[in-house]
Amino acid sequence: MVAANLTQLFGTLITASHILHFHGVLDAYGHLSVRNPNNASTFFMSRNEAPALMASASDIVEYHISDASPVEPNAPRGFIERYIHSEIFKRFSAINSVVHSHSPPVIPFTISGVPMKPSIHLAGFLGKEVPVFNIADHYNATDSQDLLVRTIPLGAALAAEFSNKNSLQAEPDHLVVLMRSHGFTTCADNIKLAVMQAIYTQTDATVQSTALTIRNTYLGSKNEGDGVVYLTAQQAKDSWAIDAGTVERPWDLWVHEVESSDLYVNMLDPNQTTPAALNFVS
């Protein structure tokens, strides 16, 4: 039997995955994880399935942080890139949730040489500038060069990009890291903040791209530098200090959005509509 606090946690994990799909941060790919509150050396994430289709505790797998191996030997098949999550949890003890996304609005900033910066106050968590992880710099001779973070060393290399130091630390220096030709990863101390950061990372990318397009169209060849006004480091810090405390407002809206859709089923959510649950079971 699943402990009561884990039942609630699993319900939140499922809802969060649905929210990220609803907002286009995840599609058939990408994933979300959460550290086990009862055992800090393990974490939970979905089995290998589309995030929108998570529905019950049987869709969730527990993994060891040490090597990303499943706690149960007969666990359902998991994601290849679970090392993204295990190595971030391993490096940062204060991090309890991780989102990995292949967001189309974000990917251009991983390949264009244009740095992603906080353009809106709701993206203050981006800091002054977002680092880009180039996995090609970390391959060894036997690695498959498919851009997937499929080993402990590659996961550790990605996790290191969240820090300005070489040593382990409780909290990362960056909450978002871009991944060349791949997407981005964000981490937080709880699921709700991780979801908020993921959604507003995508929003910020859209706003910045639009601003750059408008400016370049208007100024043409006379444009020097990108000319867009971004948040200063202090503005980013102060904005996120306020916005992080308001996470329940968007969270309540996002939950209502997915609960109102027949696409999403969460059998651990007491507010789940009966017709949708019955349709899923049948």
Side-chain angles (χ1 to χ4, degrees), residues 214-255:
I214 291 172
R215 180 172 174 81
N216 290 336
T217 300
Y218 180 70
L219 293 177
S221 60
K222 294 183 288 186
N223 190 9
E224 295 183 4
D226 73 20
V228 175
V229 178
Y230 301 105
L231 271 65
T232 65
Q234 191 64 48
Q235 289 170 341
K237 178 181 177 181
D238 292 350
S239 294
W240 185 235
I242 295 297
D243 294 333
T246 69
V247 66
E248 293 295 337
R249 186 196 307 177
W251 178 263
D252 289 345
L253 170 63
W254 297 334
V255 169

Side-chain angles (χ1 to χ4, degrees), residues 52-233:
L53 302 183
M54 287 183 70
S56 71
S58 63
D59 292 323
I60 297 172
V61 180
E62 183 178 10
Y63 293 100
H64 294 289
I65 288 175
S66 59
D67 61 0
S69 64
V71 171
E72 296 296 330
N74 297 321
R77 185 166 66 95
F79 293 107
I80 291 173
E81 292 196 293
R82 59 186 181 271
Y83 301 97
I84 291 173
H85 305 259
S86 62
E87 291 303 310
I88 291 174
F89 289 135
K90 185 187 298 181
R91 188 177 182 97
F92 305 108
S93 60
I95 291 301
N96 296 307
S97 188
V98 176
V99 175
H100 171 59
S101 166
H102 304 156
S103 169
V106 174
I107 290 176
F109 290 96
T110 76
I111 59 176
S112 63
V114 177
M116 187 174 180
K117 299 181 180 182
S119 305
I120 57 174
H121 72 95
L122 285 166
F125 57 84
L126 293 176
K128 184 177 180 180
E129 191 172 303
V130 185
V132 180
F133 172 68
N134 185 356
I135 196 171
D137 294 337
H138 303 280
Y139 285 136
N140 63 41
T142 61
D143 282 333
S144 170
Q145 298 192 23
D146 56 11
L147 302 186
L148 300 182
V149 180
R150 55 170 60 248
T151 65
I152 290 175
L154 291 175
L158 171 62
E161 291 287 342
F162 285 84
S163 175
N164 294 329
K165 310 174 185 67
N166 292 325
S167 59
L168 298 180
Q169 58 196 86
E171 297 182 357
D173 298 306
H174 306 281
L175 295 179
V176 179
V177 169
L178 307 186
M179 303 166 70
R180 185 183 65 78
S181 304
H182 190 158
F184 75 90
T185 297
T186 186
C187 59
D189 66 1
N190 63 70
I191 291 175
K192 294 178 182 179
L193 280 177
V195 168
M196 186 176 185
Q197 290 167 194
I199 289 174
Y200 283 107
T201 295
Q202 179 168 276
T203 301
D204 188 86
T206 301
V207 171
Q208 185 177 349
S209 292
T210 302
L212 289 169
T213 299
I214 291 172
R215 180 172 174 81
N216 290 336
T217 300
Y218 180 70
L219 293 177
S221 60
K222 294 183 288 186
N223 190 9
E224 295 183 4
D226 73 20
V228 175
V229 178
Y230 301 105
L231 271 65
T232 65

